[in-house]
Amino acid sequence: MGGRTTLRRVRDAVSAAAAELEEAGCDTPRLDAELLAAAVLGSGRERLLVDASAPIAPAAELRLAELIRRRVAREPVAYILGRRAFRRLELAVDPRVLIPRPETELLVEVALGLPPGARVHDVGVGSGAVALAIADERPDLRVSGSDTSPAAIEVARANAARLRLAVELTVARSLPAQASGADLVVANLPYVAADDWPGLAPEITHFEPREALVSGADGLDAIRELVAGAPAGLRLALEHEPAQATAVRDVLSDPTTLPDLAGLDRVTVGRVP
């Protein structure tokens, strides 16, 4: 008679995965392990605690091991899962677009202060995170977006269709002509200095699109190009590195810099001179 195989429990599988990710140098090993385990088990993270003593099926454990292998190679969890939460939305993401960051929510907050019926355009729309969040939370606003990358626009359009949000999305460099009359232009453009790129985390340098992050020697080429090509008086909200705040204020009229949740200078709002 064959011996009975003892299945590993959920908590033990998650703990082993977290230990492997910690050894690999991942910043949030426990969180990552829980997110990947929840995806494999088809449940929310909260169920991992409830079901901690439950056995994990061999097929599920094999699948979790494959996802952990990808994370050990420093592939971002959002790309592994194919999704990322942003405000009230869950967005599909893949290596064609940047993974939305929490600090970028500040651009949405600026737009939420617009009067009813105002028009807002998102330059560098990427996955559609900012434009779609604005349309979701302020359906009275007329929202559009553009990106230089046709591949990014494909992702943004797919997200808009799945979420049933009416946002006009176009492929264009800098500011499209049809957006020049907007009441506000928000932009999360590339702002990493070229020399800083090699020192970024492998999750970024090995997986995220470099062209969506790097912008010249000081990281401000894309922002300068946008301001130079925009009509005088247009109101802009520009995301940037905290150390770039002074330089960004210098290219705008009546600028105000807003802090992110960490208290760092993150978005500068002003008008085109």
Side-chain angles (χ1 to χ4, degrees):
M1 296 177 62
R4 175 178 294 178
T5 300
T6 302
L7 300 179
R8 185 147 61 159
R9 298 183 187 279
V10 167
R11 64 166 168 260
D12 297 327
V14 172
S15 294
E20 190 173 353
L21 295 181
E22 183 173 16
E23 185 177 354
C26 298
D27 288 340
T28 54
R30 184 74 191 188
L31 173 61
D32 295 355
E34 290 179 355
L35 288 171
L36 296 174
V40 165
L41 297 173
S43 67
R45 280 179 62 212
E46 68 281 354
R47 291 297 308 178
L48 297 178
L49 182 60
V50 176
D51 300 332
S53 297
I56 183 169
E61 190 160 12
L62 283 173
R63 177 61 179 152
L64 177 59
E66 169 60 17
L67 299 189
I68 294 301
R69 182 195 64 78
R70 292 170 64 183
R71 185 68 188 106
V72 164
R74 307 301 287 270
E75 183 175 354
V77 171
Y79 288 160
I80 296 173
L81 298 180
R83 63 180 185 270
R84 176 71 168 218
F86 186 80
R87 295 183 71 85
R88 304 193 311 193
L89 305 178
E90 185 170 85
L91 301 162
V93 294
D94 62 40
R96 291 176 291 176
V97 295
L98 291 183
I99 299 167
R101 268 74 168 176
E103 54 265 29
T104 301
E105 293 188 21
L106 190 52
L107 291 175
V108 179
E109 295 290 344
V110 174
L112 295 182
L114 290 168
R119 184 179 173 194
V120 57
H121 184 82
D122 179 13
V123 176
V125 73
S127 65
V130 172
L132 295 175
I134 294 168
D136 173 57
E137 297 177 42
R138 285 288 305 274
D140 60 296
L141 299 178
R142 293 173 293 166
V143 185
S144 58
S146 60
D147 201 291
T148 60
S149 167
I153 290 295
E154 286 180 5
V155 176
R157 284 176 177 162
N159 277 321
R162 181 175 52 82
L163 296 168
R164 298 182 179 180
L165 293 170
V167 174
E168 180 186 359
L169 298 164
T170 57
V171 178
R173 185 173 181 85
S174 196
L175 185 69
Q178 65 267 34
S180 60
D183 297 286
L184 174 69
V185 168
V186 297
N188 178 18
L189 295 170
Y191 55 75
V192 173
D195 287 348
D196 292 340
W197 173 257
L200 298 180
E203 284 86 348
I204 297 173
T205 58
H206 294 176
F207 294 96
E208 296 201 71
R210 186 182 190 277
E211 64 275 11
L213 288 159
V214 176
S215 186
D218 64 355
L220 293 174
D221 283 4
I223 287 176
R224 292 192 192 95
E225 180 180 334
L226 174 62
V227 174
L234 181 66
R235 187 169 179 239
L236 302 177
L238 305 171
E239 182 175 334
H240 51 74
E241 286 281 5
Q244 296 169 332
T246 298
V248 174
R249 284 194 295 269
D250 286 345
V251 300
L252 297 174
S253 294
D254 303 318
T256 300
T257 299
L258 307 174
D260 60 20
L261 293 175
L264 303 174
D265 288 344
R266 184 62 62 181
V267 168
T268 294
V269 182
R271 295 191 180 275
V272 176

